[in-house]
Amino acid sequence: AAGVIQSPRHLIKEKRETATLKCYPIPRHDTVYWYQQGPGQDPQFLISFYEKMQSDKGSIPDRFSAQQFSDYHSELNMSSLELGDSALYFCASSRGGTGDTEAFFGQGTRLTVV
Amino acid sequence: GQSLEQPSEVTAVEGAIVQINCTYQTSGFYGLSWYQQHDGGAPTFLSYNALDGLEETGRFSSFLSRSDSYGYLLLQELQMKDSASYFCAVSSSGSARQLTFGSGTQLTVLP
């Protein structure tokens, strides 16, 4: 069965650079979520999209932005990277537009800022 | 806002039963989910409770008491592969499209 695909799996950037993370949800899933997980931390909700519109916003820095495209894939854009942005970034998708259904997580993108 | 509390660590032996508790405070509540995460891996959905009571899925069961703002995950017949972090997460009615995770419980299963 198709799963959530994230790319790249690993990314190394320097401070003040920009990064773009991509997420391809499971087919027919209409909701995409982005989470940030620091070492030893729980996943922190960043932002979500439902039917290509931003639906909820969490602790996403102003330096980050995201969008969902017509084919439902989503991109997380991160600018002016800081050392503290080093983390695992997960994308998840679900069906039905509500958080009360199972969310399927991708394998994550490990971002290292040096 | 939302806050969740769960034990940071639990240790048990193979074949045993372990219960991981979760208490939550939220301004709105849709349901309580449980996720498993192995080191470096993605969180994997285990169960979801929207109503009071017990949900059973194989060796895993989850319980919810909305009046007590409390739930637990019960793992039976523990196996070594169950060693992982377990997160409870709430969906709040005010923002049903996001999950707020607890800080996670590291389960170690000993032989």
Side-chain angles (χ1 to χ4, degrees):
Chain A
V4 177
I5 305 297
Q6 290 187 248
S7 68
R9 291 293 309 278
H10 302 272
L11 189 59
I12 300 176
K13 290 286 186 178
E14 294 188 354
K15 282 194 306 183
R16 293 180 288 279
E17 284 193 317
T18 61
T20 297
L21 279 54
K22 296 186 178 182
C23 170
Y24 297 86
I26 292 172
R28 291 181 293 281
H29 279 196
D30 51 22
T31 304
V32 167
Y33 318 71
W34 285 97
Y35 287 85
Q36 178 192 59
Q37 186 175 30
Q41 304 295 313
D42 58 289
Q44 294 290 316
F45 172 74
L46 293 177
I47 196 168
S48 63
F49 294 86
Y50 168 61
E51 282 294 345
K52 293 159 280 187
M53 299 289 289
Q54 181 184 308
S55 59
D56 291 284
K57 204 169 183 181
S59 52
I60 184 170
D62 292 339
R63 299 177 289 109
F64 295 5
S65 64
Q67 56 182 323
Q68 187 177 28
F69 295 86
S70 57
D71 64 351
Y72 290 93
H73 95 271
S74 178
E75 294 184 3
L76 178 66
N77 299 293
M78 311 160 71
S79 62
S80 303
L81 286 169
E82 302 173 356
L83 295 179
D85 296 329
S86 295
L88 256 178
Y89 290 83
F90 288 106
C91 171
S93 73
S94 69
R95 188 171 51 191
T98 61
D100 62 343
T101 60
E102 177 178 351
F104 294 81
F105 282 75
Q107 291 302 304
T109 293
R110 183 173 296 280
L111 173 67
T112 303
V113 182
V114 297
Chain B
Q2 295 96 23
S3 69
L4 298 94
E5 286 194 18
Q6 52 181 128
S8 58
E9 296 178 332
V10 172
T11 301
V13 297
E14 264 188 306
I17 299 172
V18 72
Q19 178 173 313
I20 300 174
N21 298 319
C22 175
T23 57
Y24 59 87
Q25 288 185 318
T26 178
S27 54
F29 182 80
Y30 230 151
L32 185 70
S33 303
W34 288 92
Y35 284 80
Q36 178 194 62
Q37 185 179 32
H38 288 97
D39 273 347
T44 303
F45 174 84
L46 292 177
S47 69
Y48 172 78
N49 295 71
L51 303 174
D52 287 356
L54 192 68
E55 293 282 341
E56 297 181 74
T57 309
R59 294 187 297 115
F60 295 172
S61 304
S62 60
F63 172 83
L64 175 67
S65 169
R66 295 176 66 118
S67 60
D68 295 322
S69 298
Y70 163 76
Y72 66 72
L73 179 70
L74 190 73
L75 299 87
Q76 303 181 73
E77 300 172 19
L78 281 175
Q79 302 174 9
M80 298 292 288
K81 66 178 181 180
D82 297 329
S83 292
S85 291
Y86 292 83
F87 295 91
C88 57
V90 293
S91 308
S92 60
S93 58
S95 50
R97 297 184 187 90
Q98 69 179 73
L99 294 169
T100 300
F101 284 81
S103 54
T105 298
Q106 178 65 47
L107 171 65
T108 302
V109 180
L110 302 174

